[in-house]
Amino acid sequence: MKKITIAIDGFSSTGKSTLAKQLANHLGYIYVDTGAMYRAVAFFAMQNGYISASFFDKETLINSLPFIRLEFKFNPDLGFGEMYLNDTNVETQIRTIEVSNFVSKVAEISEVRSKLVEQQKQMGENKGIVMDGRDIGTVVFPDAELKIFMTASATTRAERRFAELKQKGDNVTYEEVLKNVEERDYIDTHREDSPLVMAEDAIEIDNSHLTREEQFEVVLSLVSEITKTN
Ligand code: DC
């Protein structure tokens, strides 16, 4: 069957990566979580003291970009590629609330975006890819055969993210998580370079009231339609 490119964009914590992983596993496609790449750059900035609650040395981060090497290495036990920053597995470190608090500021920088977008385009050269993020259908793969735009209410998303972080033993409050979700929504939709917008040809899915399975079935039938007619 002909391989296509699937772009999944949307607000944070809408379950983009869950859907993308399900699709990639089912179709035998590569899965790329572009948020992990932005998170790894934010983690690098934190590690090197370029960013903190009251300080951000953008210039030094931009000058350090040639020394940031990002790679996904497939972990067969997990069924997806884990994020490596300069040969170190940072999959756990990039998922903390601290990284979530800084990542939107890092993702606003055009130099960061162009470096990551170039790498993402290369990953999709041979199609057969499901990529999730904020600008995949608009900037990375404007010609993707299938573009999904996922939404859900901020409170639904905060509840999901809070449960996830709690399960991992992260010591956060629901209010903190909701504040982070709302702040990221604002920054993601208002930044100058590649703000989060729905591509004109994207299909919107509000999953506030859909189960994972229902959502998966909806998107899988869209994939079947496209691969049938292509
Ligand atoms: O999907 P996520 O929550 O892990 O993404 C982390 C942050 O990275 C998010 O706040 C916005 C940014 N991001 C982006 O600007 N462009 C992408 N393609 C993916 C993520």
Side-chain angles (χ1 to χ4, degrees):
M1 201 188 285
K2 193 184 164 193
K3 295 208 165 194
I4 63 166
T5 299
I6 304 175
I8 302 183
D9 289 302
F11 291 94
S12 64
S13 305
T14 41
K16 298 184 296 296
S17 64
T18 303
L19 172 66
K21 277 180 206 159
Q22 281 175 310
L23 286 170
N25 283 338
H26 185 87
L27 299 166
Y29 280 19
I30 294 169
Y31 161 61
V32 177
D33 169 6
T34 61
M37 299 170 75
Y38 288 93
R39 286 172 178 274
V41 177
F43 181 63
F44 175 92
M46 282 166 63
Q47 262 188 325
N48 288 282
Y50 303 154
I51 195 166
S52 67
S54 55
F55 169 83
F56 186 14
D57 183 355
K58 279 190 200 179
E59 245 1 86
T60 308
L61 176 61
I62 292 167
N63 292 334
S64 307
L65 286 175
F67 308 107
I68 299 180
R69 203 170 66 262
L70 303 174
E71 228 182 325
F72 287 100
K73 289 192 192 167
F74 189 76
N75 178 331
D77 294 333
L78 296 174
F80 62 89
E82 293 181 288
M83 185 81 257
Y84 280 70
L85 165 65
N86 294 335
D87 295 323
T88 302
N89 184 335
V90 291
E91 191 57 40
T92 308
Q93 291 97 314
I94 61 171
R95 308 285 169 193
T96 61
I97 191 96
E98 285 78 26
V99 172
S100 297
N101 282 334
F102 295 133
V103 63
S104 289
K105 289 193 187 108
V106 168
E108 274 184 310
I109 303 172
S110 290
E111 288 85 349
V112 170
R113 301 203 72 83
S114 56
K115 177 186 165 97
L116 300 197
V117 167
E118 193 190 314
Q119 194 176 344
Q120 290 154 8
K121 283 180 191 256
Q122 277 171 11
M123 292 173 183
E125 264 170 0
N126 299 322
K127 297 193 177 267
I129 191 163
V130 188
M131 190 174 276
D132 82 51
R134 305 292 189 287
D135 58 346
I136 312 307
T138 50
V139 177
V140 182
F141 299 130
D143 298 327
E145 289 85 350
L146 178 60
K147 298 179 186 178
I148 303 290
F149 191 86
M150 295 179 57
T151 60
S153 69
T155 47
T156 303
R157 290 183 284 132
E159 279 160 22
R160 289 177 188 159
R161 184 49 68 99
F162 177 62
E164 245 172 56
L165 289 168
K166 273 279 172 210
Q167 205 188 12
K168 279 194 285 184
D170 219 319
N171 190 22
V172 283
T173 62
Y174 169 75
E175 287 68 31
E176 225 180 318
V177 178
L178 179 62
K179 187 164 169 268
N180 175 260
V181 164
E182 289 174 339
E183 274 173 9
R184 281 204 289 157
D185 284 359
Y186 185 85
I187 301 180
D188 289 348
T189 50
H190 287 78
R191 68 169 170 245
E192 237 168 77
D193 188 345
S194 319
L196 171 65
V197 280
M198 185 167 115
E200 272 178 20
D201 50 350
I203 295 162
E204 184 173 352
I205 296 184
D206 182 334
N207 67 11
S208 301
H209 306 293
L210 286 181
T211 65
R212 284 176 185 191
E213 289 68 32
E214 287 167 340
Q215 162 179 286
F216 178 58
E217 290 306 322
V218 169
V219 179
L220 203 55
S221 64
L222 293 170
V223 175
S224 304
E225 281 300 309
I226 294 167
T227 46
K228 233 192 289 167
T229 53
N230 267 311

